[in-house]
């Protein structure tokens, strides 16, 4: 299928989902439900007060006395074993946001719930998007009471009001009660026809807004993608940048290559402060030391230069490296170009035609970055906690195998070794670090160093820390790691915010006590790799090429830890520079560099004091309580930031468990 | 809430020193600027500042009364980017004409001209920490409940060639500390001088409450009094390294005040 076709399909899918998630007020539905209830359960099941009617209760996400409550597993922490269950209603879902998220409209779990409980669609939607009962009773027929806001974009403020007004107009034209006299299914048929029109109407309303600031991102990005021949669909650009390009694309294309376009691009699409862009200048230095000056290159940043790396000057080798893709022969004619030229010129500065963007991503400076955790927990979880059945096609003979996550780890390690030219025979073991384990906080509290006030911290760690629970699919695994990552970051920030030397040291150690380091043997039950492959019936007889192995590894990762990336600074930089590159003169070169820096916090220095004789002075001013208010004033330590990239390999390995 | 707040200036200085870089101080963002004292002198970038100056202030606390009428003193925290204390109080004030001699001035810094009831005085806002520590030690502490054993730590062969552990384990109870002790002493005479200074400035010696302490780093340099042309030592490029909250009401203090600062850091041993 063509890529464009996939994009259109995605867009249409999202329109269908929006249409499906709409909750539209219909008093006829309330009446017809009441009629049915009276027939089945008698008059007592419908009271005179609409507040107690099934229709309105269900809209609010509550069950009517004649309903049986839907029970689902609670997916919010703390996760018990066996998992606790909750009733699927608005009150419980408001308390359990993670569970609510799993079941929100359009997810597989939502459709499964709807098919498992036929006739409960209203209450399921009501539990997810509860409507105030009074509002629902007072609303006119055709009012849109609720919808899944994920499917409406932030600039589409017009969409729901216009759709609602269209529904009301439709109803006032077609809702002719007179027809019911001769055709008692007229009502049902009319509402059925109305629903089939909804997606078309949404598409139509959105098409009206093409070319305006209210345009849907699909139209906006498709327009940018075609005009700029870049991949805007990925959504790396900010909405501001996208809107600007959407509006100015035609002008930019017509005036490609002019300085004016280059300047306005730098000003407008990098101005949100994410990407630094500069011009590279050649400069003569050291005229006094020698006969001829040396040449350095200087990055003169043209915008605010947020996230720019600390390096402002480059030597020629560095510039060749940065420019390699654009001017790969520059270094071959090194003797002439460009240093000689600058050495003999009478001007100390000369501009180049290089536009440079040298940046450092300082985003994820936690003690254990998210990506690292995603991979570090995986073999540990796959050993016992991550149980899912995977259908995997062996590329050797195209046979489908049903394997477990643990098998997948073994296959992955096997082919990873193969990729590096080594055929493993023995079953591997895996060293895991910093895995959150179930810990008894009261034992830690009892054995902590006395007189050091870290009780609050231990309790904080105890509430925050999340023990990995059993998961059964990739999205559950990714969600769980995200939670563990967030919790770990919170705990780490708590430790690093301490100014007191002893308290910081001890609380850091107490934090470590909630984690475990160790080794697991993954191949229990198999004597060797060949034994494993034979017993699983996996054919490994054909040797795969490196390229094939790489593809296989990527596929295995997709099945186990998922590789959906968040918006990365690297991608944003790439897209923006691509746009600048496409629209500037072909003789200008764009050089870019991006370091995804890991940050280490070195603790260094630190100050503190022992209370000494403070108490007695304090007693004199404070005779009532006889208690110094802050007797724990003590000692301090502190930390500071150095870039991980600045360290040598040896230093990095020393600091491995610090970062 | 933390009663001890290390500053970002200290962090910046230490990072510069790790990579043997010159630490350049912007003279516009120093305590000298706050007191307009030789703030136009650009501190030499090839000389390292030393943390040897102490500032005191009475702005680090607030007082609340609980329901039973008990008075409670609550500390007000500093932010790591602060340069000055909330409310500095001088160590000593002398009237113009009766100023400290050069020898007496040796332990004071940040000489500032103040006018009290129209009469010119000189206030000294920093005092030297004396003596500076010379022995910086490494110790290994093993904690077991309430008791701890401290032995000097000397790296050995097993630190040069560490063996990785392969057993399943969690964190232990060993720590290594790097520290040195800096004694801070306020003698009875000094306390009296502070009280006198505060009485002159605020009209009442009850204001002589030390509730915030700032340790400052800076570079000593010889300056000339613009009026008397006397040369004396003054600190320039003065930046804070750490702020501390405390509560000492000097009116009620009879004995000398003794504080021991432990400077250094403490690392838990990983596994």
């Amino acid at each position: 299928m063509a890529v464009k076709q996939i994009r259109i399909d995605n867009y249409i899918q999202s329109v269908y989902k929006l249409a499906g998630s709409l909750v539209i007020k219909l008093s006829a539905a309330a009446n017809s439900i009441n009629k049915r209830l009276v027939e089945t359960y008698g008059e007592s099941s419908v009271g005179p007060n609409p507040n107690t009617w099934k229709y309105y209760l269900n809209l609010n996400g509550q069950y009517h006395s004649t309903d049986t409550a839907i029970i689902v597993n609670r997916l919010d922490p703390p996760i018990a074993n066996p998992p606790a269950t909750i009733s699927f209603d608005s009150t419980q879902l408001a308390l359990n946001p993670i569970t609510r998220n799993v079941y929100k409209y359009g997810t597989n779990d939502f459709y499964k719930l709807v098919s498992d409980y036929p006739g409960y669609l209203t209450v399921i939607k009501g539990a997810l998007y509860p409507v105030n009962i009074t509002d629902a009773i007072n609303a006119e027929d055709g009012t849109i009471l609720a919808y899944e806001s994920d499917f409406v974009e932030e600039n589409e403020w017009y969409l729901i009001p216009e759709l609602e007004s269209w529904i009301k107009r439709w109803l006032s034209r077609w809702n002719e009660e007179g027809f019911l006299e001769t055709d008692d299914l007229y009502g049902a048929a009319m509402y059925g026809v109305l629903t089939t029109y909804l997606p078309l109407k949404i598409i139509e309303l959105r098409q009206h807004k093409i070319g305006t600031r209210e345009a849907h991102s699909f139209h906006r990005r498709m327009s940018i993608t075609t005009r700029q021949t870049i991949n805007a669909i990925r959504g790396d650009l900010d909405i501001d940048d996208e809107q600007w390009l959407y509006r100015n694309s035609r002008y930019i294309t017509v005036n490609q290559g002019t300085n004016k376009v280059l300047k306005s691009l730098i000003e407008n699409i990098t101005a949100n402060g994410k990407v630094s862009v500069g011009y590279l200048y050649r400069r003569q230095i050291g005229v006094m030391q020698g006969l001829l000056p040396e040449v350095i290159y200087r990055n003169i940043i043209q915008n605010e230069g947020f996230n720019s790396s600390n390096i402002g000057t480059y030597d020629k080798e560095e510039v060749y490296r940065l420019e390699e893709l654009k001017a790969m022969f520059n270094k071959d004619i090194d003797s002439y170009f460009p240093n000689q030229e600058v050495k003999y010129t009478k001007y100390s500065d000369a501009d180049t035609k290089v536009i440079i963007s040298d940046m450092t991503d300082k985003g994820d400076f936690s003690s254990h970055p998210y990506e690292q955790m995603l991979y570090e927990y995986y073999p540990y979880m796959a050993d016992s906690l991550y149980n899912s059945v995977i259908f995997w096609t062996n590329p050797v003979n195209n046979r489908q195998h049903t394997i477990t996550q643990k098998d997948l780890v073994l296959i992955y390690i096997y082919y990873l070794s193969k990729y590096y030219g080594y055929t493993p025979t023995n079953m591997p073991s895996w060293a895991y670090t910093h895995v959150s384990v179930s810990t008894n906080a009261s034992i830690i509290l009892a054995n902590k160093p006395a007189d050091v006030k870290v009780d609050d911290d231990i309790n904080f760690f105890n509430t925050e820390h999340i023990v990995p629970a059993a998961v059964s699919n990739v999205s559950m695994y990714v969600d769980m790691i995200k939670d563990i990552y967030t919790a770990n970051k919170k705990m780490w920030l708590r430790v690093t915010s301490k100014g007191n030397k002893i308290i910081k040291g001890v609380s850091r150690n107490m934090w470590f006590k909630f984690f475990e380091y160790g080794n697991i043997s993954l191949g229990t039950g198999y004597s060797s790799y060949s034994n494993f492959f034979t017993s699983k019936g996996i054919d490994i007889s054909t040797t795969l090429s490196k390229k094939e192995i790489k593809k296989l590894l990527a596929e295995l990762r997709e099945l186990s830890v998922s590789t959906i990336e968040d918006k990365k600074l690297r991608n944003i930089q790439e897209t923006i520079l691509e746009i600048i590159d496409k629209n500037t003169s072909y003789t200008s070169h764009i050089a870019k560099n991006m370091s995804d820096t890991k940050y280490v916090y070195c603790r260094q220095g630190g100050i503190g004091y022992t209370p000494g004789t403070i108490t007695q002075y304090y007693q004199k001013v404070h005779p009532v309580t006889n208690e110094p208010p802050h007797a724990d004033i003590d000692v301090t330590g502190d930390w500071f930031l150095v870039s991980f990239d600045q360290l040598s390999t040896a230093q990095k390995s020393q600091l491995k468990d610090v970062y | 809430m933390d009663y001890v707040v290390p500053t970002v200036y200290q962090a910046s200085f230490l990072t510069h020193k790790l990579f043997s870089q010159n630490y350049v101080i912007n003279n516009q963002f120093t305590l000298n600027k706050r007191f307009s004292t030789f703030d136009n002198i650009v501190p030499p970038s090839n000389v390292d500042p030393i943390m040897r100056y102490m500032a005191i202030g009475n702005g680090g606390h607030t007082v609340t009364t609980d329901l039973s009428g008990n008075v409670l003193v609550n500390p007000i925290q500093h932010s790591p980017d602060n340069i000055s204390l909330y409310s500095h109080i001088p160590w000593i004030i002398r009237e113009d004409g009766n100023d400290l001699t050069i020898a007496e001035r040796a332990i004071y810094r940040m000489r500032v001209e103040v006018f009290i009831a129209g009469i010119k005085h000189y206030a000294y806002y920093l005092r030297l920490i004396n003596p500076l520590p010379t022995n910086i030690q490494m110790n290994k502490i093993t904690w077991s409940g309430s008791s701890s054993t401290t032995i000097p730590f000397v790296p050995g062969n097993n630190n040069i060639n560490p063996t990785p552990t392969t057993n399943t384990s969690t964190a232990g109870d060993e720590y290594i500390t790097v520290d040195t002790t800096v004694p801070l002493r306020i003698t009875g005479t000094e306390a009296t001088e502070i009280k006198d200074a505060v009485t002159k400035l605020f009209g009442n010696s009850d204001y002589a409450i030390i509730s915030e302490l700032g340790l400052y780093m800076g570079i000593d340099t010889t300056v000339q009094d613009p009026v008397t042309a006397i040369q004396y030592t003054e600190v320039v490029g003065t930046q804070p390294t750490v702020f501390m909250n405390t509560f000492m009401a000097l009116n009620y203090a009879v004995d000398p005040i003794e504080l021991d600062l432990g400077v250094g850091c403490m690392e838990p041993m990983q596994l």
Side-chain angles (χ1 to χ4, degrees), chain A residues 501 605, chain B residues 136-139 176-180 263-267:
Chain A
K501 183 179 88 176
Chain B
I136 298 168
Q137 293 173 337
M138 286 213 271
N139 286 312
I176 290 190
T177 72
V178 178
D179 57 344
T180 186
V263 180
C265 65
M266 181 164 103
E267 286 296 320

Side-chain angles (χ1 to χ4, degrees), chain A residues 334-395:
Chain A
D334 184 26
S335 57
Y336 167 71
F337 178 85
N339 289 329
Q340 298 300 70
E341 192 186 279
V342 182
K343 272 189 181 176
Y344 295 108
T345 179
K346 57 181 174 177
Y347 304 106
S348 62
D349 269 353
D351 52 353
T352 66
K353 290 196 106 179
V354 178
I355 296 154
I356 187 160
S357 173
D358 193 351
M359 296 167 57
T360 308
D361 190 349
K362 297 177 185 173
D364 190 0
F365 55 86
S366 99
S367 67
H368 290 75
Y370 172 64
E371 273 83 8
Q372 189 192 334
M373 285 201 145
L374 204 57
Y375 288 101
E376 213 154 79
Y377 274 68
Y378 173 59
Y380 175 82
M381 300 266 296
D383 191 35
S384 56
L385 291 166
Y386 189 175
N387 296 308
S388 68
V389 176
I390 302 162
F391 299 106
W392 172 65
T393 312
N394 185 358

Side-chain angles (χ1 to χ4, degrees), chain A residues 445 453-463 494 498:
Chain A
L445 271 172
K453 296 198 169 178
V454 289
D455 302 39
D456 283 359
D457 301 308
I458 295 174
N459 288 329
F460 177 81
F461 299 150
N462 192 36
T463 10
R494 174 124 182 169
K498 302 277 169 200

Side-chain angles (χ1 to χ4, degrees), chain A residues 5-130:
Chain A
Q5 186 61 39
I6 294 173
R7 287 170 190 165
I8 292 170
D9 283 357
N10 283 343
Y11 170 62
I12 301 293
Q13 280 300 323
S14 82
V15 170
Y16 276 123
K17 283 181 181 172
L18 172 60
S21 78
L22 295 173
V23 177
I24 300 166
K25 160 77 186 282
L26 289 175
S27 19
N31 294 336
S32 118
I33 290 171
N34 285 349
K35 211 168 143 192
R36 178 68 58 84
L37 285 176
V38 171
E39 281 167 15
T40 324
Y41 300 98
E43 288 289 342
S44 62
S45 59
V46 179
N49 184 356
N51 279 318
T52 62
W53 290 358
K54 177 172 153 67
Y55 178 68
Y56 294 112
L57 283 175
N58 284 0
L59 279 184
N60 186 247
Q62 297 179 40
Y63 291 97
H64 187 249
S65 54
T66 59
D67 294 333
T68 323
I70 301 174
I71 304 293
V72 293
N73 283 352
R74 200 174 78 129
L75 302 170
D76 287 66
I79 293 172
N81 192 19
T85 53
I86 53 168
S87 150
F88 196 87
D89 58 47
S90 52
T91 328
Q92 283 298 330
L93 289 190
L95 294 172
N96 296 289
I98 296 177
T99 315
R100 182 186 177 278
N101 223 18
V102 168
Y103 284 104
K104 79 179 181 190
Y105 193 90
T107 58
N108 288 341
D109 295 278
F110 173 85
Y111 291 125
K112 188 162 184 307
L113 205 62
V114 172
S115 67
D116 285 354
Y117 296 90
Y120 279 75
L121 180 62
T122 315
V123 72
I124 291 171
K125 273 163 82 172
L128 292 164
Y129 314 105

